[in-house]
């Protein structure tokens, strides 16, 4: 029984879902016999995956995409967390900044791609800019709500226990109390950043997983496109799993 | 230590002086609320004062002002002659809902207030001593989330006493606990208080709890709050709740409270009809 083994038990549903998708896919290829450029067979995609892995191209491109997201995401966090704290602690700041954020938030980061290319060209800074836009708002908003929702009685406890200065109170009470919510923002934003980098690389790049996919399309290699897509999914799940572990440790 | 104990048994110097304090404000609905009207009360060094009153009588307002979280609209509150202007580690506070820091271990919670003045090692030693005193030495590595309500409050009491404050303010500390846990914590608190003779101001709804613990029971009137009754409790510890003297005192306090409760209900009823 899967129940007897915790790891197998938790992976069971994953394996089952993967097998189901692969079976339906294989059945469709057998029944419809499409040209490989339209729908390659799972085995062909598997072969391509192995090739891309053994040549290292997949890891290089995945690494480049991850690095771009990470740099922009860290930059975003460095600005968004203090801004969120400031907004949560100052009524005036919130009333001034909140409308601006509400106006920019609904604009998809992808809508910034044309301007990013015009402003920064197709180099690294344009992509960092797009990921910055994509990751900024979830971090700000979760920081604001986290800091605002700190239980007032904890703040009082901090003050009667000697946190006389605001700065002590912040580092010893307010920040740790709002950390779980900030971590949620960081996790969500990494996801939105990861989705956005692929789009940015699709349009203007010569490296990264997005480029791998765009390149596959241009040379009619759907198997390569699918390998790129699978890598995006797997890395997304892995990164999210790391955040979940962090969240249970600090949450 | 010796001198302060003598001060308690001789003529006690007032540690806290509440001098004609009024507090009024507008509530969330914009209604004018007069919580306290010209209330005066002197609290001596080493006194254990229980404040009892109908809900909304201003006892929490009074405690908040002692804590420095709220300020009188008029009048003044002093501690050792110093005007209370804000919260300070000198005035420890124990909250009804414990207010433990969930991201810290039990030990780190008790160490929290010690880190400003003590080295890490000293803070740890003092915190361990206090955890031992409340019987939670084996739980120092646990997270507050893993503790029952009674255990959490024992950690909170240890955390407050560990900083050695001048005054300890307790805001219905046992109000959320079941009867048995409550009784156990009352006994523990008494034991600690009798050893350390801190000045305690203790808010409670329970007359029995007040008479069981305190050296003085103060009854506040219905809004606006004023001192209605100020009874010294001269019974030996451990007090027996079926001791006739205990019962007598309880009855006297209940009689005073009943008058105020009647007023409160009349007030609420008239409010109800007016709406």
């Amino acid at each position: 029984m899967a129940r007897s083994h915790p790891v197998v038990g938790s992976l069971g549903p994953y394996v089952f879902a993967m097998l189901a998708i692969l079976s339906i896919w294989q059945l469709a290829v057998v029944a419809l016999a499409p040209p490989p450029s339209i729908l390659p067979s799972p085995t062909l995609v598997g072969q391509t995956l192995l090739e891309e892995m053994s040549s290292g191209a997949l890891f290089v491109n995945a690494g480049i995409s991850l690095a771009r997201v990470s740099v922009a995401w860290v930059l975003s966090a460095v600005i968004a967390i203090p801004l969120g704290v400031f907004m949560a602690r100052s009524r005036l700041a919130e009333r001034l900044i909140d409308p601006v954020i509400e106006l920019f938030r609904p604009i998809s980061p992808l809508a910034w791609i044309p301007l990013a290319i015009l402003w920064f060209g197709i180099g690294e800074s344009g992509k960092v800019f797009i990921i910055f836009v994509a990751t900024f708002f979830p971090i700000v908003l979760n920081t604001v709500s986290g800091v605002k929702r700190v239980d007032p009685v904890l703040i009082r406890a901090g003050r009667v226990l000697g946190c006389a200065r605001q700065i002590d109170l912040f580092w010893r009470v307010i920040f740790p109390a709002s950390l779980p919510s900030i971590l949620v923002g960081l996790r969500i934003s990494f996801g939105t950043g990861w989705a956005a980098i692929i789009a940015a690389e699709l349009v203007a790049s010569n490296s990264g997983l997005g480029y791998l996919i765009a390149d596959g399309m241009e040379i009619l290699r759907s198997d390569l496109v699918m390998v790129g897509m699978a890598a995006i999914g797997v890395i997304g799940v892995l990164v999210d799993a790391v955040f979940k572990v962090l969240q249970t440790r600090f949450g | 230590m010796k001198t302060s104990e003598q001060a308690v048994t001789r003529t006690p110097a007032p540690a806290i002086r509440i001098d004609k304090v009024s507090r009024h404000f507008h509530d969330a609905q914009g209604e004018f609320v007069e919580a306290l009207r010209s209330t005066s009360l002197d609290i001596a060094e080493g006194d254990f004062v229980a404040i009892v009153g109908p809900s909304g009588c201003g006892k929490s307002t009074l405690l908040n002002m002692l804590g420095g979280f709220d300020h009188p609209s008029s009048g003044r509150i002093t501690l050792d002659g110093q005007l209370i202007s804000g919260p300070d580690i000198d005035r420890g506070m124990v909250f009804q809902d414990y207010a433990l820091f969930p991201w810290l271990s039990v030990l780190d919670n008790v160490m929290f207030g010690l880190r400003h003045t003590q080295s890490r090692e000293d803070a740890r030693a003092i915190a361990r001593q206090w955890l031992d005193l409340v019987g939670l030495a084996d739980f120092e590595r646990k997270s507050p989330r893993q503790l029952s309500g009674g255990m959490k409050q024992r950690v909170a009491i240890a955390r407050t006493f560990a900083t050695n404050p001048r005054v300890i303010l307790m805001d219905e500390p046992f109000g959320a606990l079941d009867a048995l846990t409550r009784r156990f914590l009352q006994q523990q608190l008494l034991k600690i208080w009798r050893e350390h003779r801190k000045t305690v101001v203790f808010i409670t709804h329970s007359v029995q709890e007040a008479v069981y613990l305190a050296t003085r029971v103060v009854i506040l009137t219905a809004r606006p709050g004023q001192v209605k009754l100020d009874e010294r409790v001269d019974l030996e510890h451990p007090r027996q709740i079926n001791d006739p003297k205990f019962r007598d005192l309880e009855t006297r306090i209940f009689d005073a409270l009943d008058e105020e409760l009647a007023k409160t209900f009349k007030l609420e009823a008239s409010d109800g009809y007016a709406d």
Side-chain angles (χ1 to χ4, degrees), chain B residues 14-18 41-44 66 77-80 167 199 201:
Chain B
I16 300 173
R17 170 156 276 176
I18 298 164
L41 193 66
D42 281 352
I43 296 171
L66 287 169
I77 304 181
T78 54
L79 171 63
D80 301 329
V167 180
T199 309
V201 181

Side-chain angles (χ1 to χ4, degrees), chain B residues 95-100 106 134-136 139 142-157 173-174 176-178 180-182 184-185 188:
Chain B
F95 304 88
Q96 181 173 4
D97 33 12
Y98 326 124
L100 297 181
V106 164
V134 296
L136 291 174
F139 292 84
K142 292 259 191 278
S143 155
R145 271 181 281 240
Q146 295 168 277
L147 305 184
S148 69
M151 289 160 94
K152 283 182 191 163
Q153 198 58 296
R154 280 147 73 194
V155 175
I157 288 170
F174 307 145
L177 303 174
D178 65 84
L180 284 178
T181 311
R182 192 175 179 137
F184 175 61
L185 261 73
Q188 252 190 342

Side-chain angles (χ1 to χ4, degrees), chain A residues 96-153:
Chain A
L96 283 175
I97 303 168
D98 196 54
V100 181
I101 286 184
E102 287 307 314
L103 185 65
F104 278 86
R105 199 163 61 102
I107 304 172
S108 162
L110 308 187
W112 287 92
I113 292 177
L115 280 181
I117 293 174
L118 286 171
W119 291 346
F120 301 100
I122 59 165
E124 293 304 315
S125 40
K127 285 170 205 70
V128 168
F129 173 75
I130 288 161
I131 304 312
F132 183 89
V133 172
T135 51
F136 191 72
F137 300 112
I139 304 179
V140 173
L141 296 176
N142 278 284
T143 305
V144 171
S145 81
V147 172
K148 274 190 166 176
R149 279 207 317 256
V150 174
D151 189 346
V153 80

Side-chain angles (χ1 to χ4, degrees), chain A residues 136-176:
Chain A
F136 191 72
F137 300 112
I139 304 179
V140 173
L141 296 176
N142 278 284
T143 305
V144 171
S145 81
V147 172
K148 274 190 166 176
R149 279 207 317 256
V150 174
D151 189 346
V153 80
L154 293 184
I155 295 180
R156 293 170 129 221
R159 294 179 74 185
V160 290
L161 287 166
C163 292
R165 294 180 306 157
Q166 282 293 317
I167 189 85
D168 290 335
L169 196 64
F170 176 76
W171 284 116
R172 302 195 67 200
V173 180
I174 295 167
F175 186 71

Side-chain angles (χ1 to χ4, degrees), chain A residues 58-128:
Chain A
L58 187 65
F59 297 114
V60 170
N61 283 308
I64 288 170
S65 296
L66 263 177
R68 285 175 179 147
V69 175
S70 305
V71 167
W73 173 77
V74 168
L75 197 68
S76 180
V78 164
I79 299 175
I81 293 172
L83 183 72
V85 169
F86 184 52
M87 283 171 69
R89 301 291 292 167
S90 153
R91 246 193 121 77
L92 180 67
E94 197 193 10
R95 287 176 67 181
L96 283 175
I97 303 168
D98 196 54
V100 181
I101 286 184
E102 287 307 314
L103 185 65
F104 278 86
R105 199 163 61 102
I107 304 172
S108 162
L110 308 187
W112 287 92
I113 292 177
L115 280 181
I117 293 174
L118 286 171
W119 291 346
F120 301 100
I122 59 165
E124 293 304 315
S125 40
K127 285 170 205 70
V128 168

Side-chain angles (χ1 to χ4, degrees), chain B residues 117-163:
Chain B
T117 48
Q118 313 280 338
S119 71
R120 184 168 281 275
E121 290 70 40
D122 290 352
R124 188 176 296 131
I126 297 170
R128 288 214 167 110
Q129 218 175 305
W130 278 98
L131 276 176
D132 198 33
L133 212 66
V134 296
L136 291 174
D138 294 338
F139 292 84
E140 63 169 57
R141 285 282 133 231
K142 292 259 191 278
S143 155
R145 271 181 281 240
Q146 295 168 277
L147 305 184
S148 69
M151 289 160 94
K152 283 182 191 163
Q153 198 58 296
R154 280 147 73 194
V155 175
I157 288 170
R159 180 175 72 173
T160 303
F161 276 87
T163 62

